[in-house]
Amino acid sequence: MFLMRVGDPDQEIPVVVSEARAFDLRSLTSDIDPNFLASNGIERATRAVSDGEIEEVDISGFRIGPPVSGSRSVICIGQNYAAHAAESGSDAPKEPIVFFKHPGAIVGPNDPVHPIPGPGKLDWEVELAVVLKSRARCLESAADAFDCIAGITISNDVSDRHWQIERSGGQWSKGKSWETFNPLGPYLRPITGADDVANLRLQSWVNGGVRQDSVTSDMIFSVGTIVQHLSHMMMLEAGDIINTGTPQGVALSGRFPYLEPGDVVRLAISGLGEQEHSIVAMP
């Protein structure tokens, strides 16, 4: 079962997809948002589909929006794969590197990505994203984290390395937060424990050429460890999104050119579908 939001921007409708059939969630909720997630929304949606309480809907031809709305925070983990840290010129971190993206960067998985006007070095980063369903504060163990997680999805942590590194002022977020810099989706897949995120394959392509190909088991810090760690420095809430890091194979490595208008980026994570978006100059 997957949760999706489909329709024009800011007019998406919530749906649940089960066995290739989509069901309209508007009889249960107006949106897939923090309130829905925090009120056992996923469990209620599952039960409604099983009991035949909600109507089937045809979503073919609809734009796919980000699978969750109203998130107050996008928290990111840097250099969480040893090979990516190395290609970035850094040693593997001793504890998680934390930075933020502005929530306004979130767009649908297939929406165009617009570079920041002016000089730039636009890069791609396929990442496993975690969406929370409840407050997480001072968790005692990594295992406790999974009681707070609603599900997982694909995130592209789009980065302008000019602003992230050359004009950072010491903070990566300057190169991470431009509008369209976080395509998210296509859907939110509920999870129940660590096994659901232990060995997922992450891949990316640019114009059909392979860029990244790795597995989540290569993370330096696991999903549970990340959530537990963050819970000791900030109060996490339902709807918060955590981008858990990207593997090697980005343009920053020097092995590939940076993105330009006209390029097409495709991302995939096993069991979570695919994204595909074009790089388009700001209209």
Side-chain angles (χ1 to χ4, degrees), residues 1-182:
M1 189 193 81
F2 308 107
L3 299 171
M4 297 180 68
R5 300 171 64 253
V6 298
D8 293 336
D10 300 321
Q11 300 179 37
E12 294 95 343
I13 65 171
V15 299
V16 56
V17 179
S18 178
E19 297 181 352
R21 300 167 64 196
F23 299 89
D24 192 334
L25 278 177
R26 284 177 291 180
S27 61
L28 294 181
T29 182
S30 61
D31 210 345
I32 299 169
D33 58 14
N35 288 334
F36 170 78
L37 296 173
S39 61
N40 296 317
I42 293 177
E43 293 81 357
R44 290 187 290 116
T46 301
R47 188 165 55 250
V49 171
S50 177
D51 294 345
E53 296 175 353
I54 52 178
E55 295 182 357
E56 190 170 351
V57 61
D58 182 6
I59 62 172
S60 58
F62 278 64
R63 166 189 171 269
I64 301 174
V68 62
S69 71
S71 298
R72 60 171 202 144
S73 297
V74 182
I75 307 155
C76 305
I77 306 300
Q79 299 180 358
N80 196 27
Y81 292 75
H84 174 59
E87 73 178 355
S88 303
S90 303
D91 295 330
K94 297 288 193 295
E95 65 174 62
I97 297 171
V98 180
F99 62 94
F100 294 87
K101 294 178 83 90
H102 192 287
I106 296 172
V107 291
N110 304 319
D111 291 344
V113 169
H114 303 306
I116 299 175
K121 296 179 178 178
L122 195 65
D123 212 342
W124 61 90
E125 296 189 35
V126 60
E127 304 200 12
L128 177 70
V130 172
V131 181
L132 300 187
K133 65 179 180 181
S134 65
R135 176 172 293 178
R137 181 173 58 188
C138 296
L139 298 177
E140 293 185 1
S141 71
D144 291 339
F146 291 93
D147 293 332
C148 305
I149 295 173
I152 54 177
T153 189
I154 304 173
S155 180
N156 187 357
D157 176 20
V158 179
S159 307
D160 188 315
R161 306 301 188 186
H162 171 72
W163 285 98
Q164 179 193 350
I165 299 171
E166 297 168 17
R167 297 189 60 182
S168 71
Q171 174 49 257
W172 291 358
S173 296
K174 290 172 69 173
K176 302 278 190 170
S177 293
W178 184 249
E179 58 193 84
T180 75
F181 270 23
N182 203 142

Side-chain angles (χ1 to χ4, degrees), residues 118-267:
K121 296 179 178 178
L122 195 65
D123 212 342
W124 61 90
E125 296 189 35
V126 60
E127 304 200 12
L128 177 70
V130 172
V131 181
L132 300 187
K133 65 179 180 181
S134 65
R135 176 172 293 178
R137 181 173 58 188
C138 296
L139 298 177
E140 293 185 1
S141 71
D144 291 339
F146 291 93
D147 293 332
C148 305
I149 295 173
I152 54 177
T153 189
I154 304 173
S155 180
N156 187 357
D157 176 20
V158 179
S159 307
D160 188 315
R161 306 301 188 186
H162 171 72
W163 285 98
Q164 179 193 350
I165 299 171
E166 297 168 17
R167 297 189 60 182
S168 71
Q171 174 49 257
W172 291 358
S173 296
K174 290 172 69 173
K176 302 278 190 170
S177 293
W178 184 249
E179 58 193 84
T180 75
F181 270 23
N182 203 142
L184 194 70
Y187 40 71
L188 181 68
R189 191 186 93 190
I191 64 169
T192 58
D195 289 346
D196 293 327
V197 296
N199 198 34
L200 303 177
R201 186 180 185 186
L202 306 89
Q203 298 171 279
S204 69
W205 301 261
V206 176
N207 301 327
V210 175
R211 295 295 184 262
Q212 295 171 279
D213 193 348
S214 188
V215 289
T216 54
S217 58
D218 286 342
M219 284 183 177
I220 298 170
F221 306 105
S222 69
V223 167
T225 298
I226 290 168
V227 176
Q228 182 199 13
H229 181 79
L230 293 174
S231 79
H232 284 266
M233 70 184 73
M234 65 186 80
M235 189 188 301
L236 304 172
E237 296 281 9
D240 285 355
I241 297 166
I242 303 171
N243 290 338
T244 60
T246 198
Q248 66 175 327
V250 298
L252 181 63
S253 68
R255 294 186 289 129
F256 308 108
Y258 287 104
L259 297 169
E260 299 285 350
D263 288 339
V264 176
V265 179
R266 182 162 64 95
L267 312 177

